[in-house]
């Protein structure tokens, strides 16, 4: 009986570690939000990019080389702000706001490494 409990405990611990390592990779359900169709020129004051559930808002950013933007994750799971050229790869935990300086970044796209449906367009002037 003791051996069975130890085996069960080992399985529970392994599953817990596996779930934590996934970075909160959850599949969004209907009504979970998404990627709103918005665009913005970022310029200071407040959050320049917000992660809402499983989408970026806005989905289109126009920035200048070397500009710093604030990214706020309002959701319940971790996400990343990753440029398609991999110049920036920043993890943002739930409830966290991080500042990212866009240096050496080319125009193109951005995405979340954990959730492939989360994408956006980045224009660097």
């Amino acid at each position: 009986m003791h051996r069975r409990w130890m085996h069960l405990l080992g399985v529970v611990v392994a599953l817990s570690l596996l779930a934590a390592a996934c970075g909160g990779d959850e599949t969004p359900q209907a009504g979970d939000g998404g990627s709103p169709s918005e665009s913005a020129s970022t310029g200071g004051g407040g959050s320049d990019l917000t992660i809402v559930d499983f989408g970026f808002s806005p989905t289109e950013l126009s920035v200048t080389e070397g500009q710093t933007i604030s990214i706020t994750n309002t959701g319940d799971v971790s996400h990343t702000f990753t440029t398609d050229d991999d110049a920036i790869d920043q993890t943002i935990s739930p409830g966290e706001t991080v500042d990212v300086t866009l240096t050496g970044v080319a125009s193109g796209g951005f995405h979340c490494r954990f959730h492939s449906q989360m994408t956006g367009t980045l224009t660097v002037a």
Side-chain angles (χ1 to χ4, degrees):
M1 184 72 161
H2 178 71
R3 180 179 247 168
R4 187 178 298 169
W5 280 106
M6 292 303 292
H7 179 72
L8 180 61
L9 178 61
V11 170
V12 169
V13 169
L15 289 174
S16 297
L17 292 173
L18 180 62
C22 286
D25 192 6
E26 298 176 8
T27 303
Q29 302 297 314
D32 270 352
S35 297
S37 236
E38 300 174 24
S39 64
S41 292
T42 58
S47 293
D48 297 304
L49 186 65
T50 302
I51 299 170
V52 181
D53 296 322
F54 291 90
F56 292 105
S57 179
T59 58
E60 297 179 17
L61 289 176
S62 294
V63 298
T64 57
E65 169 70 20
Q67 181 176 342
T68 299
I69 63 169
S70 293
I71 305 170
T72 301
N73 181 356
T74 64
D76 294 329
V77 298
S78 292
H79 295 285
T80 70
F81 174 80
T82 305
T83 56
D84 288 354
D85 64 1
D86 291 322
I88 296 175
D89 183 22
Q90 177 69 52
T91 300
I92 304 103
S93 298
E96 182 179 31
T97 297
V98 297
D99 291 329
V100 175
T101 302
L102 301 171
T103 302
V105 177
S107 291
F110 58 91
H111 61 277
C112 174
R113 280 188 297 109
F114 302 147
H115 309 102
S116 61
Q117 74 277 13
M118 294 177 60
T119 62
T121 303
L122 180 66
T123 303
V124 180

